[in-house]
Amino acid sequence: MRRKIVVLFFVCVSGVAALLGVSGCGQDGTEGAAPPASVDASGTPSHQGARQCPTTDDALKRPSAPPTVIDGVGDNTPAATRISQAVGDQGYGAYGDVYGTQANDFPVGRVALCVTDLARGRDLVKAAAKADPGADPKLVDLYMSRYAHRTLQKAVDKVFGRKFAFPLYSASATSDASGIRVTTNAAGAGSASFRRTLEKATGGIPVVVERGAPAVADVGRSPSP
């Protein structure tokens, strides 16, 4: 049975970014930056280098026209969705050592694939096209990510569920695979020493600490301030 893959989708509906995995809308390349490493039909990068993995802020800078609209609701373009699913199957499997993350329709009709190694990223796209011959590898652009998703998940596992000076409400990889993001109470979010403690626990992987709220508050009690 084929495993369902969760892909990061950038969807722009009437100029408003809808959150489907990661907020943001498809865009053109950033001015003055090196282009991503496009992938041709054989899965070969057309550029030697690649831009760094796009962030949510990158996606919001120059939003593009809405992708496919189904029943009045924005949706990702089918061709980009198909190759991104095929890429995800490989990224969470045999290529977990290099797969960082990906964004569908970035820009519209294309897939931004973030990997820690371009050569292995090329092999990943080839494997995806081989597994699904109907998926178009030409729609994939390769970007460099700092960490593999597998590495970041291990970092999340190292901190979540442990007891610290402040509560941890959530922990996940950042949108550009550059570290992990955690949420805590207001005091924890303002503590530099807490962030350093978390980064020590992850083995040096950067941690972004933000104020959040418990997923489920205790009945009769207010969330921590």
Side-chain angles (χ1 to χ4, degrees):
M1 180 181 295
R2 185 178 180 183
R3 184 161 55 90
K4 182 178 180 181
I5 298 297
V6 177
V7 182
L8 305 185
F9 290 162
F10 290 139
V11 178
C12 187
V13 182
S14 301
V16 179
L19 185 64
L20 290 180
V22 170
S23 299
C25 305
Q27 64 161 51
D28 295 328
T30 303
E31 293 182 5
S38 298
V39 178
D40 64 21
S42 65
T44 303
S46 60
H47 298 279
Q48 293 299 314
R51 269 204 313 268
Q52 292 300 304
C53 189
T55 65
T56 299
D57 288 341
D58 292 331
L60 292 172
K61 286 178 182 176
R62 290 193 297 175
S64 66
T68 303
V69 176
I70 299 177
D71 295 330
V73 179
D75 195 16
N76 292 103
T77 51
T81 297
R82 183 163 183 173
I83 185 62
S84 66
Q85 290 286 345
V87 164
D89 284 336
Q90 300 299 320
Y92 284 100
Y95 292 86
D97 58 320
V98 297
Y99 175 83
T101 187
Q102 62 177 319
N104 204 343
D105 283 307
F106 187 91
V108 172
R110 302 195 65 79
V111 174
L113 170 60
C114 304
V115 294
T116 58
D117 179 86
L118 289 179
R120 285 277 288 161
R122 173 196 61 199
D123 292 339
L124 189 164
V125 177
K126 284 182 179 180
K130 182 177 180 180
D132 182 359
D136 187 357
K138 296 190 302 295
L139 302 180
V140 179
D141 296 317
L142 296 179
Y143 293 76
M144 292 298 297
S145 62
R146 187 171 181 180
Y147 297 101
H149 177 80
R150 179 184 294 173
T151 300
L152 295 179
Q153 187 55 54
K154 289 179 179 179
V156 168
D157 293 341
K158 288 179 180 178
V159 299
F160 206 66
R162 289 182 54 180
K163 291 187 178 297
F164 293 102
F166 303 98
L168 281 186
Y169 300 146
S170 67
S172 61
T174 57
S175 63
D176 61 350
S178 63
I180 68 172
R181 174 175 283 103
V182 304
T183 59
T184 181
N185 59 21
S191 173
S193 62
F194 181 42
R195 178 179 57 79
R196 289 194 295 269
T197 297
L198 291 171
E199 290 182 343
K200 183 177 180 180
T202 66
I205 291 176
V207 179
V208 177
V209 183
E210 299 177 340
R211 181 178 179 178
V216 180
D218 293 336
V219 177
R221 294 181 57 186
S222 298
S224 299

